[in-house]
Each structure stands twice: as structure tokens, then as C-alpha cells.
């Protein structure tokens, strides 16, 4: 049984139909990236999984259980956490308080101190308020807030957006470690180089449907797809 299985998923914002019979599977402990142009439906796919899209139909099975009819809270309690685009940390709370809020909102959380071990950059800023953190620190804090809730499946929406290259390297290292600790990761990315280094498998989403599924190794050699769906020149994806 796959950890997560989307089968014929359709999603809507009001009258606007944006996912069309989208299907994908995620196996335990893999890192899967969803690629595709702006507006292709990547964020909506993640929101469909956690139940925050206004309406979706089809089957979404998590550990074999259909979660389409479940509430957002129930899906969260089942161990699926989404770190949304544009990091949402509490600006007036300190790093430590931000972590405690997430910790206390969860029935079976991890120890907050463990997060400082995984994110040493946060350890240096325990008493700093969210609004005074750099973009990179805010992103680390967003991921740490999700991770302290001990997810089995971590969904990350464009985690590298707006981050300096050196922070992107740190983030890649942290996410590699997270997966070694038995967390499965699905992320969306515009940064193709980052996703190629981190992920094992990719889906390309175009106009609300998956148009490609395969390993990163295979996708690297598919210049046609990179150009057609991601507008990436071959030279760019080679580094
Ligand atoms: N809240 C909303 N209300 C109405 N339409 C929306 C809403 N959010 C997204 N859409 C539309 O749904 C489609 C898919 O958007 P989505 O945000 O999932 O794409 P995306 O692949 O994540 O794009 P990006 O790379 O820009 O983040 C787009 O046409 C978008 O305009
Ligand atoms: Mg998006």
C-alpha cells in the first residue's frame, strides 16, 4: 500500500474548476517534487490533500483510508502537515514561543529541544521575535513548527522561495535529515536545481493534471519536458 494515493481528484474554487482527474502516489520515506508553471495547480494539489481547498472530489487515500470526507483537523491529526507558501510564523512571538504554540496544539508532539538540534540556526535565536528573523530563519521556523507536531507526511509549498542560495543549501541538508528520520516529503518548487538535488521522483502538473511522472534521474535527461513545461534551458538544469 502506498502512503498516499490521489485518484481522479478534481478541485474547485467556487465555479472555477482547477484540478482535473489528478492522480499521484507517494511511497513511505520518499521525497517527491511537484513541478509546473505558475498557476498549474501545485498549491491546490497540496491544499486538496490537507482539505483546505473549498471543494474537491475523487479519492485521496492516506495509509489506505479515504480522507476526502475528513475535516482539516482530523487530517492534521492523522499526521499530514502543510507548510504553506510565504512562511507564516507569529511575528510578535519569539522563536521558542512559536515552537511551543505548535507543540501545545498537538496531542503527541516531539520535544521542542529536538528542533534546536535539527535547526541550529534557531537555537541562536530562541528569544528573538518572529518578525525580526531573516527569511531563511522564518522558513526554518515554519518547517520546525510543522516538524514538532511529529508528522509522517510533510508537505512544503515552495520552501526555497525568496531565500538566499546559502540558506537554500542549509534547507536541503535539513530536509535530507528529516527524511532519514522517517518523514515523507512532498514539495512544490520553482527551483528546479534544488528539487533535482533533493527529490527522488517528480510529477509535472500542467493545467490541473499530471503530464509526467518519473524519477529525477530520468527527468534530468528529458530536455523536451524541461523546456516545454518548466521553461528551463538544459544548461540551467545541469548544475
Ligand atoms: N483562492 C483562489 N480562488 C480562485 N482561484 C484560485 C485560487 N487559488 C488559486 N486559484 C487558481 O487555481 C489555479 C491553480 O493555482 P495554484 O495556486 O494551485 O497553482 P500553482 O501551480 O501553485 O502556481 P504557482 O507556481 O504560482 O504557485 C490557477 O488558475 C489559480 O488562478
Ligand atoms: Mg503555488
Amino acid at each position: 500500500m502506498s502512503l498516499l494515493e490521489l485518484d481522479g481528484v478534481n478541485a474547485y474554487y467556487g465555479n472555477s474548476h482547477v484540478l482535473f482527474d489528478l492522480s499521484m502516489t507517494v511511497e513511505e520515506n520518499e521525497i517527491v517534487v511537484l513541478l509546473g508553471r505558475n498557476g498549474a495547480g501545485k498549491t491546490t494539489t497540496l491544499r486538496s490533500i490537507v482539505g483546505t481547498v473549498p471543494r474537491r472530489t475523487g479519492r485521496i487515500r492516506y495509509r489506505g483510508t479515504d480522507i476526502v470526507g475528513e475535516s482539516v483537523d482530523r487530517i492534521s491529526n492523522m499526521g499530514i502537515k502543510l507548510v504553506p507558501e510565504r512562511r507564516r510564523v507569529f511575528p510578535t512571538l519569539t522563536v521558542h514561543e512559536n515552537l511551543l504554540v505548535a507543540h501545545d496544539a498537538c496531542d503527541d508532539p516531539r520535544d521542542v529541544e529536538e528542533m534546536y538540534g535539527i535547526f541550529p540556526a534557531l537555537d541562536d535565536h530562541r528569544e528573538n521575535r518572529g518578525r525580526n528573523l531573516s527569511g531563511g530563519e522564518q522558513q526554518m521556523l515554519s518547517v520546525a513548527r510543522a516538524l514538532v507536531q511529529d508528522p509522517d507526511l510533510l508537505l512544503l509549498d515552495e520552501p526555497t522561495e525568496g531565500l538566499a542560495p546559502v540558506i537554500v543549501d542549509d534547507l536541503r541538508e535539513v530536509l535530507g535529515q528529516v527524511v532519514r528520520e522517517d518523514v515523507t516529503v512532498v514539495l512544490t518548487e520553482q527551483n528546479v536545481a534544488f528539487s533535482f538535488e533533493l527529490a527522488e521522483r517528480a510529477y509535472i502538473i500542467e493545467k490541473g493534471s499530471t503530464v509526467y511522472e518519473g524519477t529525477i534521474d530520468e527527468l534530468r535527461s528529458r530536455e523536451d519536458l524541461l523546456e516545454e513545461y518548466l521553461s528551463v534551458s538544459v544548461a540551467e538544469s545541469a548544475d
Side-chain angles (χ1 to χ4, degrees):
M1 189 203 323
S2 300
L3 180 68
L4 179 75
E5 221 174 313
L6 276 67
D7 184 12
V9 171
N10 288 272
Y12 309 81
Y13 295 100
N15 290 331
S16 170
H17 186 177
V18 302
L19 295 186
F20 298 86
D21 287 329
L22 185 137
S23 297
M24 61 181 262
T25 57
V26 177
E27 306 301 333
E28 210 146 343
N29 274 25
E30 65 173 354
I31 307 185
V32 175
V33 63
L34 311 183
L35 299 167
R37 281 186 229 285
N38 290 122
K42 304 178 296 295
T43 297
T44 305
T45 302
L46 298 185
R47 296 185 67 196
S48 294
I49 297 167
V50 296
T52 55
V53 78
R55 188 161 84 87
R56 75 247 202 266
T57 62
R59 273 177 303 282
I60 304 179
R61 288 198 197 87
Y62 178 64
R63 299 193 187 284
T65 302
D66 196 335
I67 58 172
V68 166
E70 301 289 353
S71 68
V72 173
D73 282 348
R74 172 95 184 100
I75 292 170
S76 172
N77 287 335
M78 289 172 95
I80 308 178
K81 306 290 173 193
L82 169 64
V83 179
E85 224 171 344
R86 277 168 255 118
R87 335 169 220 297
R88 282 183 213 152
V89 303
F90 295 118
T92 59
L93 300 187
T94 65
V95 165
H96 197 68
E97 289 165 344
N98 264 280
L99 289 174
L100 283 179
V101 168
H103 174 276
D104 294 350
C106 179
D107 289 342
D108 198 8
R110 291 177 68 171
D111 190 336
V112 167
E113 289 302 318
E114 271 186 69
M115 297 304 115
Y116 295 122
I118 300 172
F119 303 90
L122 296 181
D123 200 5
D124 302 334
H125 296 283
R126 284 180 189 231
E127 301 311 320
N128 288 20
R129 297 197 189 281
R131 63 165 176 254
N132 296 330
L133 301 175
S134 69
E137 289 155 0
Q138 288 187 22
Q139 183 58 278
M140 297 292 181
L141 181 55
S142 304
V143 178
R145 280 165 45 100
L147 215 54
V148 80
Q149 300 192 331
D150 200 18
D152 292 329
L153 176 58
L154 182 63
L155 310 177
L156 301 167
D157 200 2
E158 306 218 7
T160 69
E161 193 188 6
L163 300 186
V166 59
I167 307 295
V168 170
D169 289 344
D170 288 350
L171 187 66
R172 187 172 53 237
E173 219 163 279
V174 165
L175 294 177
Q177 181 182 342
V178 161
V179 171
R180 286 192 294 279
E181 292 181 1
D182 262 6
V183 179
T184 303
V185 173
V186 176
L187 71 157
T188 74
E189 260 306 332
Q190 300 280 349
N191 183 335
V192 172
F194 172 84
S195 18
F196 278 14
E197 280 176 50
L198 182 67
E200 292 142 355
R201 220 153 52 78
Y203 285 89
I204 297 177
I205 299 178
E206 169 81 357
K207 296 188 180 132
S209 302
T210 52
V211 291
Y212 172 83
E213 181 267 312
T215 64
I216 293 295
D217 280 346
E218 184 192 88
L219 182 56
R220 271 181 211 283
S221 63
R222 293 293 303 273
E223 295 164 20
D224 54 328
L225 295 172
L226 296 177
E227 283 181 26
E228 182 173 358
Y229 295 116
L230 308 174
S231 311
V232 173
S233 75
V234 176
E236 245 180 281
S237 64
D239 60 303

